[in-house]
Amino acid sequence: MRPHGNTGELRVAPFNPELPNLQADGEVYLLGRKHRIERVRWDRGRVLVRLEGLGTRGEVEDTRGALLEVPEDELMLELDAYLVSDIVGLEVIGADGRSLGHVSEVLSTGANDVYVVEGPSGETLVPAIASVVEAIDVAEGVLHITDALLLGDESS
């Protein structure tokens, strides 16, 4: 988000508040350069991160808006957690077995993600909540939904 203080700390808004990848001695990429994490601490609901090799405010001033990145094969995901890239392209199958189309986009709404499904009936919005998403099978390329979702159905 922005520098914090004069010692090169970064104020970070994590995607996952559990911080599995933001741990001391872990490694992240910032603007394409690999850095070892020296310290992680919380301050007023935000995370402060100090990276090796960045010791002054001036060295981190140009990082506003940049992402701290981790190679995909090093990501620590929780059970039943997926990357957006895992979801986009999945075929969405309704409870009746018919295809609604394929996920074209994932919208982050704050409360929950929403899957945008493009299909023969047009666009369908599928909330990514347990009462609607029955199962995700990335290996098979399908996302099964329950009959709790009536959006986009001709009978509604």
Side-chain angles (χ1 to χ4, degrees):
M1 294 176 59
R2 63 180 173 85
H4 175 79
N6 294 319
T7 61
E9 281 186 305
L10 299 167
R11 186 173 298 275
V12 176
F15 290 114
N16 180 348
E18 300 297 319
L19 306 178
N21 288 98
L22 282 180
Q23 302 295 325
D25 292 325
E27 294 181 335
V28 294
Y29 288 84
L30 176 64
L31 299 173
R33 287 190 47 221
K34 189 177 195 178
H35 295 275
R36 186 180 67 77
I37 299 172
E38 289 184 346
R39 182 169 82 169
V40 177
R41 65 188 178 100
W42 285 91
D43 178 62
R44 292 185 228 148
R46 296 292 184 191
V47 180
L48 300 179
V49 177
R50 183 174 169 104
L51 302 177
E52 184 175 72
L54 301 174
T56 68
R57 184 180 188 93
E59 291 174 325
V60 298
E61 190 67 45
D62 293 336
T63 64
R64 289 177 193 259
L67 293 175
L68 287 179
E69 300 174 295
V70 176
E72 189 173 320
D73 62 343
E74 294 177 22
L75 279 174
M76 293 177 236
L77 296 175
E78 298 169 1
L79 186 63
D80 293 331
Y82 301 93
L83 300 174
V84 169
S85 60
D86 293 335
I87 301 297
V88 172
L90 293 181
E91 182 179 14
V92 178
I93 307 293
D96 62 0
R98 77 181 159 103
S99 175
L100 294 174
H102 290 82
V103 178
S104 64
E105 184 179 2
V106 177
L107 305 174
S108 292
T109 65
N112 56 269
D113 287 346
V114 175
Y115 303 143
V116 178
V117 180
E118 298 290 339
S121 300
E123 186 178 273
T124 303
L125 301 177
V126 177
I129 56 176
S131 63
V132 174
V133 177
E134 189 172 82
I136 296 173
D137 189 335
V138 173
E140 292 293 321
V142 295
L143 185 151
H144 293 276
I145 61 171
T146 67
D147 58 2
L149 179 72
L150 297 176
L151 296 174
D153 190 329
E154 296 84 40
S155 63
S156 58

